[in-house]
Amino acid sequence: MKLAIKEKVFSLKERFEILDENGTPVYQVAGKLLSWGHKLTVYDMEGQEAAHVDQKVLSLVPKYFITEEGHEEMELKGHITLLRPHYTLETSGGDWEVRGNFLGHEYEMKRGGHLVASVNKKWFSWGDTYLLDVKEDRDVLAALGVMLAIDCVEADTNHAQSATIASSNS
């Protein structure tokens, strides 16, 4: 299944629209306006909660908990690396390795060495837009949760860099 994850630009909280390859909305994602860490809820088009992505605050490396309704909680852990982002998603069905290209915003998610999903960032779009290609429908919400968490990590990194540059110019 191919999905486009489009960030809504003019919003006080994190909001995304998830479209299928035909441009039809399949999910909506909304973050909490005031929260300690990132907290995102994925809704289906009937308004039912389908998944949650919650940041574990006060951790040396990025950590997120991803929960699909009716399934066990999964934990996404970041690893300390210099240039290429690396995460592990711990699931009851086998761990996923998530590796990326930080500058190109491209990621691959693999379970047991087999490709589960790939992600590419669409350049020159209004707001962040990611193209997510998931091989099996059963992995869609988990892969979507991973990509939303990685977007949160990148947003935090960009804010920290901006704050550092602003304070050094003062």
Side-chain angles (χ1 to χ4, degrees):
M1 174 180 271
K2 294 183 181 187
L3 300 172
I5 305 165
K6 299 174 87 60
E7 182 178 23
K8 295 199 176 192
V9 178
F10 297 109
S11 178
L12 293 176
K13 57 185 178 178
E14 295 168 304
R15 296 184 63 81
F16 298 87
E17 183 176 45
I18 314 302
L19 309 170
D20 67 12
E21 56 194 304
N22 299 318
T24 305
V26 290
Y27 296 107
Q28 297 285 329
V29 180
K32 299 258 186 224
L33 183 57
L34 298 171
S35 69
W36 182 252
H38 296 277
K39 296 188 182 312
L40 305 172
T41 303
V42 179
Y43 297 94
D44 64 20
M45 295 317 294
E46 287 79 43
Q48 300 296 314
E49 293 183 7
H52 299 274
V53 178
D54 297 307
Q55 179 183 15
K56 180 180 180 187
V57 185
L58 301 177
S59 177
L60 292 176
V61 294
K63 283 189 182 179
Y64 285 80
F65 297 102
I66 301 168
T67 310
E68 293 180 50
E69 292 303 314
H71 291 86
E72 268 185 51
E73 181 177 78
M74 299 170 274
E75 184 175 7
L76 181 69
K77 295 179 181 180
H79 300 282
I80 297 173
T81 61
L82 292 177
L83 295 175
R84 299 183 66 82
H86 177 212
Y87 303 88
T88 301
L89 179 68
E90 296 176 354
T91 76
S92 60
D95 292 353
W96 295 14
E97 290 299 315
V98 181
R99 296 186 182 268
N101 174 335
F102 187 72
L103 297 175
H105 299 282
E106 296 174 348
Y107 295 88
E108 283 190 340
M109 301 174 205
K110 294 183 177 183
R111 177 179 40 232
H114 297 354
L115 187 66
V116 174
S118 60
V119 179
N120 294 299
K121 185 172 183 177
K122 188 174 178 183
W123 295 98
F124 308 112
S125 63
W126 189 257
D128 287 340
T129 300
Y130 297 96
L131 303 176
L132 176 63
D133 187 0
V134 185
K135 300 303 175 197
E136 295 183 36
D137 288 348
R138 68 183 174 120
D139 296 322
V140 167
L141 286 172
L144 178 58
V146 168
M147 199 54 239
L148 292 168
I150 290 173
D151 183 73
C152 291
V153 171
E154 289 183 0
D156 289 345
T157 301
N158 290 340
H159 290 308
Q161 289 172 346
S162 297
T164 302
I165 291 169
S167 67
S168 67
N169 290 333
S170 299

